[in-house]
Amino acid sequence: MIIDPERRDSARNARRGGQPPQRPETDDASGGLSFPDLLEPVLDAADADDNAFDEAVNEVAEALALCEALVLDNGGRPGHGVTDEEAVLSALDTYIRVLLHLGEVQEAADLGEVMERLHNANERRRRPRRP
């Protein structure tokens, strides 16, 4: 359910070394990436400081892009100008819906707190800075 920390750390180190990020590896036979694997950096950083949390959001947004995930607007059309935070919020929202469908209410509620923090970070970035 959680990405192997060694694999995650090697991916982070490769990216920091100037190498382009690669599509996250999958452990299942279908070739798909599970929500817990994809969202793991944000879930691990949920209680961290703002810088670590922002880095985790960027990491997950990069993974979503590498997986060619498509974020849709309310009309079901591809979203344009979607921020990293909005992309991760969308993935978290979908994961919460899956958890609720499976009857995992407490896990879904816990993710709601992460979404709230992420929403606040997104709003903070959108506010115009005062001169």
Side-chain angles (χ1 to χ4, degrees):
M1 193 142 95
I2 294 178
I3 292 177
D4 180 337
E6 240 179 57
R7 188 170 67 205
R8 181 191 66 219
D9 293 341
S10 68
R12 284 181 183 157
N13 292 337
R15 192 171 67 248
R16 289 183 182 140
Q19 297 177 1
Q22 297 179 358
R23 187 174 194 268
E25 294 180 27
T26 60
D27 290 331
D28 65 2
S30 70
L33 190 64
S34 70
F35 280 112
D37 289 344
L38 184 64
L39 296 169
E40 186 257 343
V42 168
L43 301 178
D44 282 353
D47 295 326
D49 63 41
D50 287 344
N51 290 334
F53 188 71
D54 289 345
E55 185 178 313
V57 168
N58 292 337
E59 185 176 336
V60 171
E62 286 178 11
L64 286 166
L66 290 169
C67 293
E68 299 177 1
L70 185 61
V71 178
L72 303 176
D73 65 14
N74 291 336
R77 296 175 302 273
H80 296 284
V82 174
T83 65
D84 288 355
E85 290 85 2
E86 291 167 333
V88 176
L89 278 169
S90 180
L92 281 167
D93 180 64
T94 302
Y95 184 35
I96 287 172
R97 291 171 191 264
V98 169
L99 288 172
L100 290 173
H101 179 74
L102 296 173
E104 303 291 339
V105 177
Q106 184 57 49
E107 288 82 357
D110 292 343
L111 288 178
E113 294 172 13
V114 177
M115 285 185 73
E116 182 67 29
R117 181 171 183 197
L118 188 51
H119 177 72
N120 291 339
N122 193 39
E123 290 299 313
R124 193 173 53 246
R125 289 178 194 226
R126 286 184 167 195
R127 283 188 215 129
R129 296 182 185 224
R130 294 181 180 168

